[in-house]
């Protein structure tokens, strides 16, 4: 058991770790969301072009802008803030969850099917 005077410091150190890892996982999720929104925006533009409609400029595509915001601002910002709570050696490996989040998001947003061969 921990002496009563040391317990709050231990609990705060554990809380820092949980916050840092959670922010890192949220950064990976925002990157996956951004990637899929960008891909969906380009697929939508390609479908419009096939219908004969004119191509809108990049700044007039809200889904593309939100996807870029998720990638450039949210992902980077959450990653940097996570470094304030945990060391980079702990936080950075959770960035690999980007791939784990990408598989279900690609199915839900873009309708992409994945097989065991694709995942491996």
């Amino acid at each position: 058991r921990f002496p009563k005077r040391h317990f709050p410091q231990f609990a705060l150190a554990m809380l820092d770790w949980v916050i840092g890892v959670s922010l890192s996982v949220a950064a990976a999720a925002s990157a996956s969301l951004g990637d899929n929104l960008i891909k969906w925006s380009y697929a939508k533009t390609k479908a419009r072009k096939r219908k004969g409609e004119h191509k809108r400029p990049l700044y007039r595509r809200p889904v593309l802008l939100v996807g870029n915001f998720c990638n450039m601002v949210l992902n980077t910002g959450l990653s940097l803030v996570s470094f304030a709570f945990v060391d980079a050696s702990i936080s950075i490996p959770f960035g690999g969850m980007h791939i784990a989040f990408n598989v279900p998001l690609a199915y839900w947003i873009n309708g992409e099917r994945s097989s065991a061969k694709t995942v491996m």
Side-chain angles (χ1 to χ4, degrees):
R1 301 191 98 200
F2 293 99
K4 287 188 178 186
R5 65 176 185 259
H6 294 296
F7 183 73
Q9 291 174 348
F10 174 75
L12 288 177
M14 184 60 81
L15 184 64
D16 282 351
W17 185 86
V18 170
I19 291 171
V21 169
S22 299
L23 288 170
S24 185
V25 170
S30 71
S32 292
L33 178 65
D35 288 346
N36 282 292
L37 288 176
I38 290 169
K39 186 169 184 175
W40 185 57
S41 173
Y42 278 110
K44 211 163 113 175
T45 301
K46 196 181 268 189
R48 277 195 178 136
K49 192 175 179 182
R50 274 182 278 184
K51 289 180 184 177
E53 297 177 18
H54 72 284
K55 188 175 171 183
R56 292 191 314 190
L58 293 176
Y59 65 89
R60 301 267 330 253
R61 299 182 200 171
V63 175
L64 179 72
L65 295 175
V66 170
N68 280 322
F69 178 81
C70 286
N71 270 339
M72 290 188 274
V73 177
L74 280 181
N75 179 28
T76 306
L78 290 172
S79 292
L80 288 175
V81 172
S82 76
F83 297 150
F85 293 97
V86 293
D87 292 334
S89 61
I90 295 172
S91 180
I92 289 175
F94 286 96
M97 300 238 358
H98 176 228
I99 297 167
F101 288 126
N102 208 17
V103 173
L105 285 175
Y107 175 75
W108 290 326
I109 295 174
N110 294 314
E112 295 179 7
R113 299 264 185 217
S114 58
S115 64
K117 183 179 177 183
T118 309
V119 173
M120 295 296 173

